[in-house]
Amino acid sequence: MSDGQVRIVIVGGGTAGWMTAALMSRRLPAADYSVTLVESDEIGIVGVGEATLPHVKIFNDLLGLDEAEFMRATRATFKLGIEFRDWNRPGDKYIHPFGAFGEPWGGLEFQHHWLRAKASGRKVAPLWDYSYAVSAAWANAFDFPDTDPASVRSTYAYAYHFDAGLYAEFLRRWTTARGVTRVEGRVVEIGRDGASGNLQSITLQSGVRIDGDLFVDCTGFRSLLLAGQFGAEWEDWTHWLPCDRALAAPCANSGDFSPYTRSTARPAGWQWRIPLQHRVGNGYVFSSQFASEERARETLLANLEGEAQAEPRLLRFAPGRRVQTWVGNCAAIGLASGFLEPLESTSIFLIQAAAIDLVDLMPTPGMVKSGIDPALPAEFNRLSAMQYERIRDFLILHYFANSRVGEPFWDYLRQMEIPDSLAHKLSLFRSRASLSLYQYGLFARDSWLAVLVGQGIAPQGYDRTADTFDLTMVGDRLDAFADRIASNVASMPSHAAFIANYCLATP
Amino acid sequence: MTDVLLRVVLVGRDAALWLAALSLDRALGATGVSVTAVELPASLHPGDVCRSLPPLEALHNRLGINEADLIRATRGSYTLGWNLAPPAPAAPFFLAHGGYGSPIDNADFFHFWVKARRFGLDVAFEMFSPTAMAARQGRIFLPDSETAKFGRADYGYHLPAIDYAGFLKGLAHRAGLASHRSRSVQVERDEADGVIRAVRLDQGERIEGDLFVDASGAEAALIGRALDQTFEVCAAGSPADRVLVASAPRFSSVPVYSEVRICEGGWLELLATQTTTQVRYAYASAGRSDEEALAEAQTTAQLPLEQARVRAVQTGGRVKPWAANCIAIGAAAHQLDPLFDLDLHSVQLGIVHLISLFPAHRRFEAERDEYNRVLASKLARLRDLAPAFYGLNRFYPAGFWDAARRAGMPRSARHKIGAFRARGQIPPMEDETFAPDFWRAMLVGLGEMPQSWPPAIDLTPPDTLRSALQRMLGFVKDKVLEQPTHDAYLQRLAQGELV
């Protein structure tokens, strides 16, 4: 194209900024697009999202990263799911796995066969025994999934735990070697076009001015451009997700090298445990309405498996999203676009999804001269809203469906009004174990099934076509499936041994 | 379980009734659910044709229907899509059920086509569709492993409606399904909770049920008459409020597609079968008398028309197709614009979702809500299609087609068109029936062309693109030439050479 280059300016260099820059360097032709990232060493990064979802592997593969190299550089471990402890009631635990429960037989979802066998008096195992990922996780084992779809070892995926600060650094090195310009400095002035209101330039403390055609706001909660300049409207979700603080403190690894994230319910929130190669990340996500910071600090420090390596660091946040995440010539990615607590490790996914959408919908050089077609931001905003709302409902489910009677925080959650979209899913599952599914957006069938069952929702019925299958055959298949999982998991290497062989970081 | 629902009573007619009855019986009969069909007088005329969409084949498979038997028994035919014939000098364009092109470097083929056109490629989008090209040559398209890798090769049917209903009814009788005939039904409702307890037939027989299915078509014998569920007229209107339906003789060579011809007063569709050709002419009563419409249909079809009759069209539907213990399917629940023949598909949607949400017990509010939600969403996506076609047309400056441009479009359709114009994308939406490339073929055919493509496709070197396009064109050409003609295929079917 002969319209010159689109000058893209990414403001903010945390995980969001560098993931966006990395994708752009890979997917935007250099002849038409230049990418400059501005970051300030003075401004810390939040570094949320040390736990990820399997999608991040797709993202890394899209960039063409070497997995072992990336894992060494970020002190990463593998992740097969999230364990929820004491969430339904104290003493309970379950895993939301990255993988399937059983398999559909005769075109009918697995849970109906399982429930029907149970209702017919046949002895069946708990749901968790029919998930390869759950069994492997609880056995502290890891291996790569099999690519042969006939193998039970193909029924799971994996993600990583990594140091998000190191990931951003890794991507910074990788990306700046591929043509992205990095500029250090703090933004002190923002220039806008009087007529269109579009952003034109940013000026740094050093006096350097950077002109741009399209700006990506990766400045975190501050949302320096989208909120700061365009006043993008905030939709608040605190009434559904009352946690608004986190205290984070790493500690030494006690040797429990679990291939999963752990989330343990606490009186006013929950505590995360993320095992990395060199340390364990811990944090207490809590609601300031239900616990003071001092009280939360005590709770966290009393529940660490090793000595804290630093004084707990406080993060404040508000759950919600910007109603529009792309306004004019400014799109926000990461915390600048919205925030959902890290309960389901969705922060990095949201960055990745927005970065991919933005690259697909990126204005052409011609458009930045004649005006960006409003259909491009309209579609970006529609997709962003869809992602946020679907994840929001899934998070609320964990809190709402609890049996922790007598604790004010949990009592409030159990009694709150929930979004219609979630209430509807819950009543359908309660009635017949069916899942009201969607094709686009995060969290599919097995995720919903895991959390619904894990949070103690007991269906009153099941799909009646399950009764048309031979009961003995179904029972035998259930047993055989659980046996296949158990015998395969028994022959897997331990997670620690696998990492030692594959990607151990040199200290 | 003591509180399960055991008795399903269907009240309806024609294909909708028998397809629903058979499907419910097949899916649930073995669980103890009894299915009773009450057949109202047929509303069909000789020469009527059911036009199906590709998913019907899967439903037929679930019922154990053999396709060769079906085509033999009904003397129907296959359709690979719609040929749209705008007024000259505009060129006709094809809306294929099958795919268009193959991805290049994992990116949608369409964008590469748009880019190649910008740089001078003068090859129509449909040239990259094996099914569209086969249709143009009068050939059926039988997929093999190579073509399956290239893209989808889906198809629908043109089924003579009386024969199709008879075929399904025969299957129902052979399956031992209980059935009754009645000219009309009286509905008996529970005074306390309003649910339907029983229907009374014209001979006085009383049939009790737990769940009632209304498959009576526009009459809406249960959902409308008895349960009073209001029919809401669609806001985004259709410019057509009349359809003239007539029969014409069969073509000597049976086209393997449906054809929509645009004329000044509306559009005319030809649905060819082995026995007759059905002609449908959609127009506006404001612009044409029925006599004028007949004359125009005759001129446009260039066929002798018989048994012409006119029916009124009003698009809309019931907000709650499942109300109390009554589920309305097909035209009893939703009336769609006649363009693209979505009626049978709407019947299928009702059946498929009723089965997947068949109540597990007597408290079925959750199932009912989910059914109404899914159907509303599916129907909303179907209702994006015709308004987009009407709204974007450039066929005639005044009259029907001018009214069509001003008829209004749902927001979702406008959003799709916007994203298409800006970037060539069809925004992914839940519950969509038509594939993105079907939408794109329609929009391109109407004269829309995207301004741009996703920048990542520029990373594919021009030589790679050029040779990929040439390879695809060669592949399509070769594969199409290997296919039997539709006529030969139908003949082999008729002679029992194919099973």
Side-chain angles (χ1 to χ4, degrees), chain B residues 141-303:
Chain B
F141 197 91
L142 307 170
D144 59 32
S145 59
E146 273 185 323
T147 66
K149 242 192 286 175
F150 185 85
R152 288 176 302 108
D154 298 340
Y155 57 87
Y157 309 113
H158 294 158
L159 300 171
I162 292 177
D163 300 290
Y164 179 45
F167 177 82
L168 295 171
K169 184 176 174 177
L171 290 179
H173 284 160
R174 279 202 294 286
L177 235 105
S179 69
H180 307 263
R181 297 171 74 160
S182 184
R183 301 184 62 78
S184 63
V185 290
Q186 301 278 323
V187 175
E188 192 183 299
R189 293 174 68 188
D190 187 289
E191 279 178 20
D193 57 13
V195 302
I196 301 178
R197 288 269 169 253
V199 289
R200 208 178 280 278
L201 312 189
D202 52 10
Q203 300 293 318
E205 197 166 353
R206 184 174 174 278
I207 300 171
E208 282 188 7
D210 301 309
L211 215 56
F212 290 80
V213 175
D214 186 343
S216 65
E219 181 191 343
L222 307 183
I223 194 87
R225 289 196 168 182
L227 292 182
D228 243 1
Q229 289 293 310
T230 336
F231 182 90
E232 296 206 352
V233 176
C234 259
S238 169
D241 64 352
R242 292 280 185 283
V243 177
L244 179 145
V245 187
S247 280
R250 65 158 276 171
F251 287 101
S252 56
S253 171
V254 182
V256 64
Y257 51 83
S258 322
E259 180 155 302
V260 173
R261 295 180 186 168
I262 307 298
C263 56
E264 207 170 347
W267 54 264
L268 178 130
E269 183 175 41
L270 300 171
L271 301 172
T273 73
Q274 295 182 64
T275 48
T276 56
T277 302
Q278 181 161 71
V279 177
R280 294 176 185 166
Y281 178 48
Y283 61 100
S285 59
R288 296 283 183 280
S289 70
D290 293 347
E291 291 70 29
E292 288 166 338
L294 179 60
E296 192 164 22
Q298 208 118 33
T299 319
T300 308
Q302 296 177 300
L303 294 169

Side-chain angles (χ1 to χ4, degrees), chain B residues 15-31:
Chain B
L17 171 69
W18 299 112
L19 200 56
L22 273 168
S23 302
L24 285 165
D25 182 58
R26 171 65 62 143
L28 295 152
T31 69

Side-chain angles (χ1 to χ4, degrees), chain A residues 183-201:
Chain A
V183 179
E184 149 69 26
R186 240 160 59 102
V187 178
V188 292
E189 203 182 304
I190 295 161
R192 294 178 70 172
D193 179 71
S196 66
N198 276 347
L199 303 176
Q200 275 181 326
S201 64

Side-chain angles (χ1 to χ4, degrees), chain A residues 25 55 58 95 145 199 222 245 250 322 330 332 342 356 417 470 505:
Chain A
S25 74
H55 306 74
I58 300 170
I95 285 187
L199 303 176
R222 283 190 307 153
R245 299 279 188 282
R322 305 272 163 208
C330 173
I356 290 173
E417 282 234 14
D470 182 79

Side-chain angles (χ1 to χ4, degrees), chain A residues 26-29 359-362 364 367 373 375 379 382 390 424 427 431-432 436 438-440 462 464-465 468, chain B residues 5 27 31 33 356-359 361 366-367 369-370 373 415 418 422-423 427-430 451-452 455-456 459:
Chain A
R26 189 81 176 82
R27 305 281 293 167
L28 292 177
V359 164
D360 275 348
L361 297 167
M362 180 60 63
T364 59
M367 282 180 190
D373 188 322
E379 175 62 357
R382 185 185 74 93
R390 289 187 169 166
H424 176 74
S427 47
S431 180
R432 60 183 290 110
S436 177
Y438 41 80
Q439 192 181 348
Y440 304 105
Y462 52 83
R464 288 173 64 181
T465 59
T468 63
Chain B
L5 301 166
T31 69
V33 170
S356 74
L357 290 166
F358 194 84
H361 41 73
E367 281 87 344
D369 291 351
E370 172 71 352
R373 184 193 70 79
H415 183 80
R423 186 47 40 103
M429 293 184 184
E430 301 294 333
Q451 284 185 59
S452 69
L459 298 170

Side-chain angles (χ1 to χ4, degrees), chain A residues 57 67 71 77-81 98-99 132-147 151-160 257-260 485 487-503:
Chain A
K57 177 172 161 47
E67 185 180 64
M71 290 186 73
T77 64
F78 291 101
K79 174 180 176 186
L80 293 167
F98 300 144
Y132 195 95
V134 173
S135 300
W138 273 333
N140 278 343
F142 185 79
D143 204 342
F144 290 128
D146 199 328
T147 49
S151 162
V152 73
R153 290 186 179 227
S154 72
T155 60
Y156 66 98
Y158 66 89
Y160 315 101
F257 219 38
S258 61
Y260 53 88
I485 289 176
S487 62
N488 273 277
V489 167
S491 68
M492 287 171 86
S494 79
H495 183 216
F498 193 92
I499 286 179
N501 271 330
Y502 182 67
C503 57

Side-chain angles (χ1 to χ4, degrees), chain A residues 79-101:
Chain A
K79 174 180 176 186
L80 293 167
I82 305 173
E83 182 187 62
F84 291 92
R85 280 202 180 175
D86 309 331
W87 269 81
N88 181 24
R89 52 168 62 86
D92 273 6
K93 65 172 184 176
Y94 70 91
I95 285 187
H96 164 201
F98 300 144
F101 288 98

